[in-house]
Amino acid sequence: MTKTKKIPVSLTLASNRDKSDHLAGFLSISPWLIGFILLILGPMLASLYLSFTDYNLLSSPSWVGLANYRSLLTDARFLKSLEVTFTFVFVSVPLKLIFALALAMLFNTGRKGSSFFSAVYYIPSIIGGSVAIAVVWKQLFGRQGAVTQILSLLNITDANLIGNPDTALSVLILLVIWQFGSPMIIFLAGLRQIPIELYEAASVDGASKWRQFFNITLPMLTPVIFFNLVMQTIQGFMTFTQAYLITGGGPLDETLFYAVYLYETAFEYLRMGYASAMAWVLLIIIAVITLIFFLTSKYWVFYQSEGGR
Amino acid sequence: MHSNKRLLSDMIFYVFVIAIGIVMIYPILWMIASSLKPATEIFNNAVSLWPSAFVWENYPSGWAGFGGIGFATYFRNSVMITSIVVVGTLLTGSIVAYGFARLEFKMKNILFACLMATIMLPIQITLIPQYIIFNEIGWVNTFYPLLLPGLMGGQPFFIFLLIQFIRGIPRELDEAAIVDGCSKLGIYWRIILPLLKPALVTVALFCFMWTWDDFLAPLIYLNDASLHTVTIALRNFMDTQGSTSWGPLLAMSSLSLLPQLLIFAFFQKHLVQGIATTGLK
């Protein structure tokens, strides 16, 4: 309504300003836009094309249709890498989040020193992905390593946790759980948002601590749980550095993570087409899982602003 | 009676929290302690966190490096790459965020959706074509492929974080500046950028730590040992000399974590706040 009342002069002025605004807008986002087109969108399309070809960097790509995708289905190492990665994600993510939530609840009681200890617990999250920690892990859990020695005092295990096909994956899962500090801090922030009146009302009604946890804390925390679950799952599927460095995918491919096999395929065997097909399968897996999380979220994620049930 | 119960629960709390705390920092303390142990003790006295005698020798002997190149070179490479990426991310990322948060342009919503979608994108999907492109233009075995993303706004997550922060700055400030004859660039430089400081610090800290830690990109792009970063050097050190010189290896590992541990020591509150409010790693 107001627009139609404007006199023509101001209209042209406004549209001139709009134009300069458009230009300024595009200029300001141009670093990202150029990067997006050249480093993301272009390469994504190229990768899709390459996934239908045979390409080793030396000769030009030759079209093979769906052959790469078809061979994936019968590639025993590929299927192994799927099994390893899914096991890793399904074991490590829930354990990490349960630890994170339990300790966040403990620190939320507001005892003295809570913020100091929660900060200390966060240190592994900062450095857990580094090569230095991979070096340490390899030593601690390897032959004659400190953890191995402690366990052998208790007569629990044989000499080498990393070299043993049955335990190698657990060593890597342990490394991920060790980094529960960052989801813990996100949980802690979530816990502090829950109105204290809810607990007071529940106490008056005589609800036990357990009932309060299941009927107040957990439902109120579901948006944070959802966020942590999505982020940690996606990260889990992309895990590369620590598996590559600590176990190198071995022994007997027991820790052949998806990203490790993809790296080997592309940069050691130079099978760029096949590796591109793997990359697209990974993208689809991650997209489907994220979609499942989002679609199911309306049944279990509780958003306060929508009004409670 | 009641206070006794309270005392007991406090005691259980502290015993439990301290016990887990020890487990949490044991690997780090172990690394530092072992880098100061005499060579034989790393295995014979593996569990202990206290060397029988403090040996500083591992540091100079690790610093001397291997294969004719010292760790001074690797640290210089890492510092150079990291500082360019951090500064580039702060400058270009804040301009891009300013555009998305404050300016109008065509297809803004679609482009914003693209930005958000790339946050979740697995890097494997672009890795291979990027490598092929950089290989074609002769940039493999240079720092350029590692620096470029930092000059293109940086990680999409950082841009998103800055956009959210700018949206929280009152628009009245912009409007007042326009009345005073301030240009769009002027608003960015004089109004937004100074107010954006807390968010920029958070981005700088995380960007520093992630770039410093980066392993995959240097692994793929840097061939010559003289160009290697600390992360690649440590890995090669471990693979080639690891079995014989654990002491120097752990000394250099400790040194490589020093920047992160210092950041943690000085900016702990900032980091914790950063993750709590944005869900950063």
Side-chain angles (χ1 to χ4, degrees):
Chain A
M1 276 305 280
T2 46
K3 263 185 185 168
T4 54
K5 280 179 191 166
K6 272 181 185 166
I7 51 169
V9 178
S10 74
L11 249 181
T12 56
L13 267 179
S15 74
N16 269 344
R17 195 193 299 145
D18 275 359
K19 257 183 206 150
S20 77
D21 215 38
H22 278 292
L23 186 66
F26 269 112
L27 278 178
S28 72
I29 66 155
S30 61
W32 169 78
L33 191 58
I34 294 167
F36 175 70
I37 293 168
L38 293 182
L39 297 178
I40 309 278
L41 197 61
M44 268 183 85
L45 296 173
S47 149
L48 186 62
Y49 165 72
L50 285 175
S51 75
F52 298 107
T53 67
D54 212 357
Y55 183 44
N56 62 2
L57 282 184
L58 305 170
S59 53
S60 56
S62 62
W63 184 266
V64 293
L66 285 169
N68 286 332
Y69 291 94
R70 229 175 277 133
S71 351
L72 279 176
L73 292 175
T74 54
D75 179 346
R77 293 195 79 203
F78 171 75
L79 297 175
K80 182 72 197 178
S81 76
L82 276 181
E83 183 202 317
V84 167
T85 311
F86 271 91
T87 311
F88 170 77
V89 170
F90 284 135
V91 175
S92 69
V93 172
L95 283 176
K96 186 179 186 181
L97 293 187
I98 289 170
F99 257 95
L101 180 56
L103 283 147
M105 302 265 311
L106 207 56
F107 286 131
N108 198 37
T109 54
R111 286 185 172 85
K112 259 196 193 131
S114 286
S115 67
F116 168 77
F117 282 110
S118 60
V120 169
Y121 285 22
Y122 174 57
I123 297 176
S125 300
I126 298 180
I127 57 172
S130 64
V131 177
I133 289 300
V135 169
V136 170
W137 228 251
K138 207 169 172 173
Q139 216 295 324
L140 282 179
F141 293 90
R143 188 170 289 125
Q144 291 182 294
V147 174
T148 317
Q149 288 191 14
I150 293 171
L151 290 177
S152 66
L153 281 180
L154 306 168
N155 270 333
I156 289 182
T157 181
D158 63 350
N160 188 348
L161 289 170
I162 289 174
N164 182 342
D166 296 330
T167 52
L169 187 58
S170 323
V171 172
L172 294 174
I173 290 176
L174 210 58
L175 174 55
V176 171
I177 298 174
W178 183 56
Q179 299 167 53
F180 68 77
S182 66
M184 178 190 78
I185 284 171
I186 300 172
F187 276 136
L188 207 48
L191 285 171
R192 297 208 169 115
Q193 303 268 314
I194 302 177
I196 199 143
E197 294 81 31
L198 291 178
Y199 293 107
E200 286 167 359
S203 294
V204 171
D205 291 346
S208 69
K209 289 276 179 209
W210 278 109
R211 282 205 58 180
Q212 289 183 24
F213 174 74
F214 283 107
N215 292 343
I216 301 172
T217 312
L218 220 46
M220 294 297 281
L221 220 49
T222 45
V224 185
I225 295 174
F226 177 73
F227 175 83
N228 276 333
L229 205 55
V230 172
M231 296 306 285
Q232 298 293 336
T233 304
I234 292 177
Q235 272 173 30
F237 275 102
M238 298 195 292
T239 303
F240 171 76
T241 306
Q242 302 303 38
Y244 180 77
L245 289 170
I246 295 172
T247 58
L252 301 174
D253 284 349
E254 282 304 325
T255 60
L256 186 68
F257 281 65
Y258 199 104
V260 173
Y261 186 43
L262 197 155
Y263 171 83
E264 274 184 19
T265 309
F267 297 100
E268 281 169 24
Y269 307 129
L270 295 181
R271 299 177 65 193
M272 297 293 178
Y274 197 62
S276 298
M278 284 184 68
W280 273 89
V281 172
L282 178 65
L283 181 67
I284 292 165
I285 290 174
I286 289 178
V288 167
I289 289 179
T290 311
L291 194 69
I292 292 174
F293 278 138
F294 273 93
L295 289 179
T296 58
S297 69
K298 67 176 173 213
Y299 300 109
W300 64 273
V301 179
F302 173 95
Y303 288 104
Q304 235 178 319
S305 54
E306 286 169 14
R309 249 166 300 161
Chain B
M1 191 60 203
H2 193 263
S3 72
N4 270 348
K5 210 173 154 189
R6 172 84 208 178
L7 192 70
L8 187 70
S9 89
D10 273 3
M11 267 176 64
I12 294 172
F13 170 82
Y14 286 113
V15 169
F16 188 71
V17 163
I18 290 170
I20 294 185
I22 291 171
V23 174
M24 294 299 280
I25 54 170
Y26 178 82
I28 303 158
L29 295 180
W30 180 88
M31 172 185 68
I32 298 167
S34 298
S35 74
L36 297 169
K37 283 177 187 172
T40 52
E41 243 177 79
I42 292 176
F43 291 108
N44 296 340
N45 190 13
V47 180
S48 154
L49 291 179
W50 204 255
S52 67
F54 284 86
V55 178
W56 294 97
E57 213 173 87
N58 287 327
Y59 281 82
S61 97
W63 187 257
F66 55 99
I69 298 173
F71 263 83
T73 306
Y74 304 131
F75 271 89
R76 198 178 53 225
N77 292 341
S78 280
V79 166
M80 194 150 92
I81 293 169
T82 307
S83 47
I84 293 176
V85 169
V86 170
V87 173
T89 297
L90 292 182
L91 278 175
T92 58
S94 61
I95 291 177
V96 171
Y98 171 65
F100 272 116
R102 282 294 205 261
L103 304 178
E104 288 309 318
F105 48 89
K106 275 185 191 135
M107 302 198 303
K108 183 169 160 179
N109 290 335
I110 298 172
L111 291 174
F112 184 69
C114 288
L115 176 76
M116 294 305 292
T118 52
I119 291 178
M120 303 285 215
L121 201 69
I123 57 161
Q124 281 83 2
I125 204 86
T126 52
L127 196 66
I128 292 165
Q130 277 184 13
Y131 179 82
I132 294 169
I133 296 167
F134 289 134
N135 190 36
E136 286 293 317
I137 58 177
W139 279 11
V140 168
N141 212 15
T142 69
F143 288 157
Y144 300 128
L146 309 182
L147 303 178
L148 204 57
L151 305 175
M152 300 288 192
Q155 306 238 7
F157 201 98
F158 294 145
I159 302 178
F160 173 64
L161 191 149
L162 294 172
I163 291 175
Q164 291 296 85
F165 197 92
I166 295 175
R167 281 178 178 160
I169 299 174
R171 267 181 189 269
E172 287 77 28
L173 294 174
D174 300 27
E175 277 150 21
I178 292 173
V179 171
D180 290 347
C182 208
S183 68
K184 297 213 166 57
L185 192 64
I187 295 173
Y188 161 75
W189 191 253
R190 294 210 190 111
I191 312 266
I192 302 291
L193 214 48
L195 290 171
L196 200 55
K197 223 156 133 197
L200 289 173
V201 173
T202 305
V203 167
L205 295 176
F206 281 98
C207 183
F208 177 90
M209 295 197 294
W210 292 355
T211 315
W212 185 264
D213 256 359
D214 191 17
F215 177 72
L216 183 56
L219 177 70
I220 288 173
Y221 290 114
L222 305 176
N223 303 329
D224 285 358
S226 62
L227 295 177
H228 282 171
T229 58
V230 175
T231 51
I232 302 297
L234 273 182
R235 178 265 186 143
N236 291 342
F237 201 178
M238 175 168 73
D239 284 358
T240 58
Q241 331 273 310
S243 50
T244 51
S245 47
W246 274 104
L249 174 60
L250 289 167
M252 288 307 103
S253 298
S254 306
L255 213 55
S256 80
L257 289 183
L258 193 64
Q260 270 126 316
L261 293 176
L262 283 178
I263 284 183
F264 175 79
F266 287 110
F267 295 98
Q268 188 216 104
K269 283 234 166 68
H270 228 100
L271 293 176
V272 169
Q273 230 163 32
I275 344 162
T277 51
T278 64
L280 270 161
K281 195 175 172 183

